[in-house]
Amino acid sequence: MGEFELIRRYFAAAACARVAPPVSLGIGDDCALLQPLAGEQLAVSTDTLVEGVHFPFDANPFLLGQRALGVSASDLAAMGATPVGFTLALTLPTASETWLQALAQGLQQMASACRMSLIGGDTTRGPLSMTLTVFGSVPAGQALLRSRARVGQCLCIGSTLGEAAAALPWVLGQRAEDAVSEPLLARYWSPRPQFELGLALRERGAAALDVSDGLLADCGHIARASSVALVIEAERVPLSEALRAAAGEQAFSLALSGGDDYCLAFTLDEADVQLLQRRGHGIQRIGRVEPGQGVRVVDAAGVALELPRHGYQHFGAD
Ligand code: ADP
Ligand code: MG
């Protein structure tokens, strides 16, 4: 199977390759064409996933397709953007038909859950990696910038944290799958971008991001961009049953520093927190925005806890 037949069969002919406005032209020409509505800005983000770094060797291709798009699309949710489309730059050592079929099905599954179209890409031979660029649309001036946190706001999260990090021993095949691992593996392999929450946060003066490198590290980005301090109240950090069952005493530190959560962390006025909770958004208030800088975690008495500060970094801080 040549490159063009491969593109046609697994990508151009996929259901998710059908396009609708604001995509005017999808796969097949030198570029896709997007036509944002008047008054909208285009939100664009790229993520690369490399075998052996972002996912294990010999990963299930269906799950890989799902995860690659979920991880990438989560950045759109974190900006409050409505998902539109994505491109896929795929580098493969060999063109196995069963592998490609499963990858395409995983992408299709997530693309349909996210309502995004595959609008282009590139296909090359080499060590397995995937680069996805996602495109979304947001009313001009309403994107959820990291720089918008204000003193007095609440710090909140959009779901429990730590489950994906707790899944790692199973992801890496170090433990046999069991009842404990099932919900954790679902969080790892099938991240659910929080689009509805992102939309609800627009117009409310929220600062937001999606937690990918661990809550502590990512809160540091909001604190820096907004020139404020974020205070996490330890007893408010929710620990799911699944996380406790898998991680025991490590549950709290995984929730704070684990990474791969792909849920939103954001700051919001207290009245808006209550409004969103009344509307059924499963958000949790876990802290507050104060004058100052950096992130600290405090116990019920307000005393700062000593915790590891840094999330995952490819080129180390040292
Ligand atoms: P070019 O040589 O002009 O860059 P290609 O031959 O690489 O174009 O690709 C032909 C068409 O197929 C383009 O529209 C491109 O966006 C699309 N395409 C290539 N690879 C993929 C892929 N993995 N997924 C989706 N679309 C792809
Ligand atoms: Mg070209």
Side-chain angles (χ1 to χ4, degrees):
M1 182 176 43
E3 176 189 332
F4 297 111
E5 175 59 12
L6 185 161
I7 295 169
R8 193 197 61 75
R9 197 182 296 177
Y10 298 104
F11 301 114
C16 62
R18 282 197 291 269
V19 301
V23 181
S24 321
L25 182 67
I27 295 175
D29 214 312
D30 295 306
C31 289
L33 296 173
L34 303 182
Q35 177 77 61
L37 296 174
E40 296 267 318
Q41 289 175 314
L42 204 54
V44 182
S45 168
T46 291
D47 279 295
T48 294
L49 283 81
V50 177
E51 183 178 48
V53 180
H54 303 93
F55 58 90
F57 289 97
D58 298 320
N60 174 317
F62 177 87
L63 295 176
L64 182 59
Q66 263 196 350
R67 174 169 157 79
L69 184 54
V71 163
S72 306
S74 177
D75 284 316
L76 296 176
M79 287 302 263
T82 302
V84 169
F86 67 103
T87 61
L88 168 67
L90 179 62
T91 303
L92 293 168
T94 52
S96 149
E97 299 198 14
T98 46
W99 191 93
L100 278 161
Q101 178 97 45
L103 179 86
Q105 281 167 355
L107 281 170
Q108 172 65 45
Q109 172 95 355
M110 187 58 75
S112 107
C114 296
R115 301 204 203 151
M116 300 177 81
S117 304
L118 177 58
I119 61 172
D122 198 19
T123 307
T124 52
R125 188 186 290 270
L128 180 60
S129 79
M130 301 170 73
T131 296
L132 283 84
T133 301
V134 294
F135 300 85
S137 178
V138 62
Q142 284 186 22
L144 300 171
L145 305 183
R146 298 175 178 194
S147 54
R148 290 204 172 147
R150 291 191 315 270
V151 170
Q153 286 184 316
C154 303
L155 172 64
C156 302
I157 50 177
S159 81
T160 54
L161 301 165
E163 291 91 349
L168 273 187
W170 287 278
V171 169
L172 297 173
Q174 295 162 351
R175 291 177 71 170
E177 290 184 23
D178 54 21
V180 170
S181 64
E182 198 180 311
L184 308 175
L185 285 167
R187 272 296 290 265
Y188 180 88
W189 284 116
S190 190
R192 296 271 164 223
Q194 297 195 292
F195 295 119
E196 283 180 19
L197 178 56
L199 298 190
L201 292 173
R202 282 189 343 211
E203 297 180 40
R204 301 190 186 283
L209 48 63
D210 63 322
V211 180
S212 54
D213 298 329
L215 180 72
L216 276 186
D218 284 325
C219 281
H221 298 313
I222 293 182
R224 213 167 302 117
S226 297
S227 300
V228 295
L230 295 189
V231 181
I232 297 172
E233 298 162 31
E235 82 280 9
R236 287 180 179 271
V237 176
L239 304 176
S240 69
E241 282 302 316
L243 175 62
R244 286 176 198 267
E249 291 189 348
Q250 300 299 310
F252 183 66
S253 79
L254 281 179
L256 255 60
S257 307
D260 281 332
D261 296 296
Y262 301 104
C263 81
L264 301 190
F266 52 96
T267 69
L268 197 61
D269 292 342
E270 185 157 11
D272 287 325
V273 175
Q274 289 168 4
L275 182 77
L276 262 57
Q277 284 172 333
R278 280 201 301 277
R279 289 187 181 166
H281 290 282
I283 63 172
Q284 301 262 1
R285 180 192 169 175
I286 58 162
R288 56 190 190 266
V289 185
E290 289 193 348
Q293 57 183 12
V295 183
R296 61 180 196 279
V297 184
V298 299
D299 66 14
V303 178
L305 305 177
E306 279 301 320
L307 290 159
R309 290 261 130 189
H310 298 291
Y312 185 74
Q313 288 191 28
H314 284 272
F315 297 100
D318 45 12

